[in-house]
Every structure is written in structure tokens, then in C-alpha cells.
Amino acid sequence: HYQDIKSEQSRLDVLINHAIDHLSETYHLTYERASELYELDEDIEGVKNRLLGESLFMRALSYFYLVNLYGEPYESAAQAKTALGVPINENVGVEANVYNRATLDVNYTLMEEDLKAAITYFEKGQKKGGIYRPNKDAALLLLSRVYLYQKKYDDVITVVDDLLKTTETEIIPYSTLEKFISSDDVVYKV
């Protein structure tokens, strides 16, 4: 009987030691990951501003597509006050609500406000490269498109001039695009 208790105690000791080793390893991995994140993103406020800018840009882009697919065509500022656009959902989650369609004026005002705020956040935020992340240049381009659809031509020129003055992206002249379009290196073209 004593042997059984001793054997059980040994197995229990092994399990406890294994659990302690596992917890210790997990702690060290967690600590290492946290240290890496701290080193990579010391500018937490910059990351926050970049993410807010990206979120507002994506909302504006989504409404831009939705209103141009399902809303009435934008004809004038007077018409936009009564013409139907798409519903605006300001809640984070999906709820069983019936949403009323907003007017084009409300939709385009939301897009403009989101893009202007996104540009401000991008200016204050961390710079993140790549063509798959929204950035200040993309927000300015979309804002110019929003103004173009509203026939606010002076605003289009102002925004595009600002973009051309501040962008770090290489601008390729339209006349040189033909060589890219007819290249055999193009994987897919319409």
C-alpha cells in the first residue's frame, strides 16, 4: 500500500513539474513577445492615429461604393438634399434594426468628414508602406473623387494640387503607361 502511495506521489510530482515548466515557458514567451512589440511600436500614439485614419478611410470608401451602386445619381447640391442614398449605420455591431435611407447630401457629407479626419490622422500617425494599406495619398485621391462626383471642381483641383506637392510616390506620366499596358510581363489586363 505504501508503494502505491509513493508511486502516485511520484506521478503527481512529475505532472506538477511539467505544469510549472509549461507555465514558465509560456510566461517567457509572452514576455518576449511583449518586449518585441514594445521595441517595434514604441510610438503607440502614432500606431493609434494610423489605425484611426485607416478605419475612417475604409468607411468612406465603403460608403462611396455603396452610394454609387444603390443611391440615386448625384446631379446637384439641391437635388442631393432630397435624393436617396444609402442607410448610415453608426453602430459597431450588426443589430436587428430597420435602417432608413439617408439622402445623398448626408452620405457625401459623411464621406468628406471621414476623409478629412483620416488625412489628419495619417499626418500625425505612423507611416506604414505598401500598396495594400490606406494612407494620406489614398485619402486625398478618394476625397478628390468624392468632390468630382459632387461637381465641386475647384475643390478637386485644390486637393489634387496638395497631393502632388506632398506625395513621396513617383508619379508616372500617362504617356509612358502604354509600354506597361502592352508589356508581356503583365499577368492580367482587361
Side-chain angles (χ1 to χ4, degrees):
H1 186 38
Y2 176 75
Q3 281 303 86
D4 291 340
I5 294 174
K6 191 71 170 159
S7 172
E8 219 32 62
Q9 181 66 38
S10 293
R11 285 191 359 211
L12 189 57
D13 287 344
V14 169
L15 288 174
I16 290 172
N17 286 334
H18 180 69
I20 290 171
D21 288 344
H22 180 70
L23 287 173
S24 178
E25 185 179 319
T26 302
Y27 167 77
H28 288 295
L29 283 172
T30 304
Y31 180 79
E32 285 176 21
R33 296 291 182 258
S35 296
E36 288 172 11
L37 287 174
Y38 180 74
E39 289 172 14
L40 290 175
D41 292 326
E42 290 179 4
D43 182 17
I44 298 300
E45 199 62 30
V47 172
K48 176 183 162 189
N49 285 325
R50 176 180 54 82
L51 292 174
L52 285 169
E54 289 178 4
S55 298
L56 288 168
F57 172 87
M58 292 307 296
R59 182 168 77 171
L61 180 65
S62 298
Y63 275 109
F64 181 76
Y65 284 137
L66 287 169
V67 79
N68 284 293
L69 281 171
Y70 301 109
E72 294 180 41
Y74 194 103
E75 294 172 10
S76 68
Q79 173 259 1
K81 291 186 185 310
T82 58
L84 293 178
V86 295
I88 293 178
N89 179 9
E90 295 180 341
N91 299 325
V92 176
V94 178
E95 298 172 12
N97 292 337
V98 176
Y99 296 98
N100 295 320
R101 290 175 70 180
T103 63
L104 287 177
D105 184 52
V106 171
N107 287 147
Y108 276 90
T109 299
L110 177 66
M111 287 183 269
E112 284 181 50
E113 290 171 354
D114 281 355
L115 290 168
K116 288 176 182 178
I119 290 164
T120 302
Y121 283 123
F122 285 134
E123 288 171 344
K124 296 188 297 187
Q126 175 196 54
K127 307 295 183 251
K128 196 75 164 179
I131 61 171
Y132 300 106
R133 293 195 90 93
N135 57 38
K136 180 183 172 188
D137 290 353
L140 285 167
L141 284 171
L142 182 55
L143 182 60
S144 72
R145 181 64 57 99
V146 168
Y147 285 147
L148 183 64
Y149 276 49
Q150 294 178 85
K151 300 176 172 95
K152 295 181 177 180
Y153 303 118
D154 291 336
D155 291 332
V156 172
I157 292 169
T158 302
V159 169
V160 172
D161 280 345
D162 289 345
L163 172 65
L164 291 173
K165 290 175 189 169
T166 62
T167 189
E168 297 174 8
T169 305
E170 178 185 1
I171 306 297
I172 300 172
Y174 183 75
S175 59
T176 63
L177 287 179
E178 183 60 37
K179 73 177 182 180
F180 295 109
I181 294 170
S182 62
S183 171
D184 290 335
D185 295 332
V186 174
V187 175
Y188 176 79
K189 59 184 171 183
V190 178

